[in-house]
Amino acid sequence: MKDPGRLDTIVELARQAEDKSARQLAGAENKRTADKQQLEQLQAYYDEYAARFEAASNRGMNARQLNDFQIFLGNLRQAIDQKKRELDDTEKRLNARRRDWVDKHQRTTALDEVQADWRTQRARESERREQRLADDRAGARCGGVQGGDKRHEE
């Protein structure tokens, strides 16, 4: 590649895409954490309310109170089931974000290696060019005859 700016631009774009993907991955991880906490809270509340229901039913309660407890526990169970489904969806999105970040990270790493190889090659070419110039100057100071060149000896 003759234009180093192109490669630098490609590497920078890949790095920006990787950074964006990393931010999206972090957001998905935060969402999963929040969903898990909400699910745990709902389950704890359900367990607490079920214990209250059991204690109240042992003491005795009227039909209306029994019905209210059962409806409320049913609503909590539905909320827990919904949160579990939401957490499953969040996990799927998190896994997709993780795969996307890994792909982008591997691409950036590969491009960094290409860029480093290219710079090493350019440095070697520059060193060779400098060495040839130095050899040419040294040869010119010594009378312009190098290694058996018969044309200059006549």
Side-chain angles (χ1 to χ4, degrees), residues 87-153:
L87 181 58
D88 287 343
D89 290 343
T90 299
E91 289 283 349
K92 289 174 187 172
R93 282 191 297 279
L94 174 62
N95 289 333
R97 293 288 185 204
R98 186 174 290 119
R99 285 189 303 273
D100 181 62
W101 177 80
V102 166
D103 290 345
K104 296 230 175 15
H105 179 70
Q106 288 174 340
R107 176 174 167 75
T108 301
T109 301
L111 286 169
D112 283 339
E113 290 173 10
V114 167
Q115 187 178 41
D117 290 347
W118 183 85
R119 286 187 173 144
T120 300
Q121 180 183 356
R122 298 299 294 179
R124 284 186 192 136
E125 290 171 3
S126 179
E127 288 172 10
R128 285 188 205 119
R129 196 169 26 258
E130 290 296 323
Q131 184 62 47
R132 269 181 272 161
L133 288 172
D135 289 349
D136 289 347
R137 281 185 287 230
R141 275 185 257 150
C142 293
V145 179
Q146 287 183 342
D149 190 349
K150 301 291 182 187
R151 291 177 291 171
H152 291 93
E153 290 182 3

Side-chain angles (χ1 to χ4, degrees), residues 45-57 59 61 69:
Y45 192 52
Y46 179 88
D47 293 344
E48 177 186 331
Y49 210 82
R52 283 186 194 175
F53 172 71
E54 176 130 359
S57 65
R59 285 190 313 264
M61 65 175 77
F69 265 109

Side-chain angles (χ1 to χ4, degrees), residues 3-17:
D3 183 10
R6 279 186 185 166
L7 183 57
D8 291 344
T9 300
I10 291 168
V11 170
E12 181 57 29
L13 289 172
R15 192 165 282 114
Q16 288 173 4

